[in-house]
Amino acid sequence: MTGTSAEVAAWIAAARERIDRYTQQCFEPTDLVVVADVGAGGLVILPRRVRTVTSVMPVLQADDGPSIPATAYRVTSSAVLGQVDSVRLAWGGWDDLVVGAESYNGGWLGLWERWGAEQVKVAGSFGYDAAPLLVSQACALLAAHLQAQAAPSDADAEQDPALQVDDEGNNVAIEDTDDGPSSDVVEPSSSTGSTQVDALLAGYLNRGTSLIGGV
């Protein structure tokens, strides 16, 4: 890649945004609140790679329920070989000071069953401790690809309208062509714009039916 440090950083940022949209993953530690369905046996499959969980609360019809303590659920992460990103609710425990969660009422398991909540909000840190090498390589390749698109060698070639160059071919802007309101939620994309980059990222796609979370 060529250009000033600011220009190179802009191309890398544009590439990272496209990769996030394509993979629907977080490749750096990111604080999120995700909403996920409660499956059989209180199993909640999380839509992102989980690092730590700070709170879990049921989503109830009238209002969100109270956060449940860490003793009432177990977290597993795909960072551990053979595991999946999930929270297992009602893992055990009770609290005689919480109405409905007393030991003689079945503890947190009994309270959870009486709530009948079908979804939970899970707050915590998601993503990788550091971006995998293959993802970093894909990002660099895509940044170079985007820069090349901004200044095609053929003057009549179709240029990406989101990329701008000056009369001398220098990168001057990377603009969002979407006229709609901005959102913190990263919308999914079917491609990064480069088939080669798409192939490199094939092992990191998050396309399961459990992808129902959001920021």
Side-chain angles (χ1 to χ4, degrees):
M1 294 186 63
T2 60
T4 65
S5 296
E7 288 175 339
V8 171
W11 291 119
I12 291 176
R16 287 176 55 186
E17 189 272 339
R18 289 202 183 191
I19 288 174
D20 289 348
R21 289 178 58 195
Y22 177 58
T23 61
Q24 285 293 287
Q25 294 278 19
C26 299
F27 292 110
E28 293 183 353
T30 306
D31 291 333
L32 296 176
V33 176
V34 302
V35 177
D37 289 339
V38 180
L43 180 63
V44 180
I45 302 297
L46 298 173
R48 299 287 188 275
R49 183 187 181 105
V50 65
R51 301 176 68 247
T52 58
V53 169
T54 56
S55 69
V56 176
M57 64 178 62
V59 177
L60 304 178
Q61 185 174 4
D63 197 1
D64 290 339
S67 296
I68 60 178
T71 56
Y73 60 85
R74 185 181 71 166
V75 179
T76 61
S77 172
S78 57
V80 180
L81 185 63
Q83 298 283 9
V84 296
D85 297 298
S86 68
V87 170
R88 174 80 68 174
L89 300 171
W91 184 250
W94 61 85
D95 190 334
D96 288 334
L97 299 179
V98 176
V99 176
E102 302 92 346
S103 55
Y104 54 83
N105 265 332
W108 290 106
L109 174 59
L111 180 58
W112 185 265
E113 291 175 344
R114 286 188 289 277
W115 273 333
E118 297 181 354
Q119 290 187 318
V120 292
K121 283 184 178 180
V122 180
S125 176
F126 294 80
Y128 288 70
D129 294 334
L133 177 60
L134 196 61
V135 174
S136 297
Q137 292 173 341
C139 185
L141 182 62
L142 183 58
H145 174 77
L146 293 176
Q147 186 183 49
Q149 277 188 315
S153 57
D154 183 352
D156 296 326
E158 183 177 353
Q159 183 173 332
D160 187 333
L163 310 176
Q164 295 184 7
V165 295
D166 61 18
D167 294 337
E168 297 179 356
N170 299 314
N171 308 319
V172 295
I174 303 175
E175 296 184 350
D176 185 357
T177 56
D178 185 3
D179 294 329
S182 61
S183 171
D184 289 332
V185 179
V186 179
E187 296 295 333
S189 173
S190 60
S191 173
T192 61
S194 166
T195 56
Q196 188 176 1
V197 173
D198 291 352
L200 288 175
L201 297 172
Y204 295 96
L205 295 182
N206 188 357
R207 292 287 193 266
T209 56
S210 64
L211 185 57
I212 58 175
V215 177

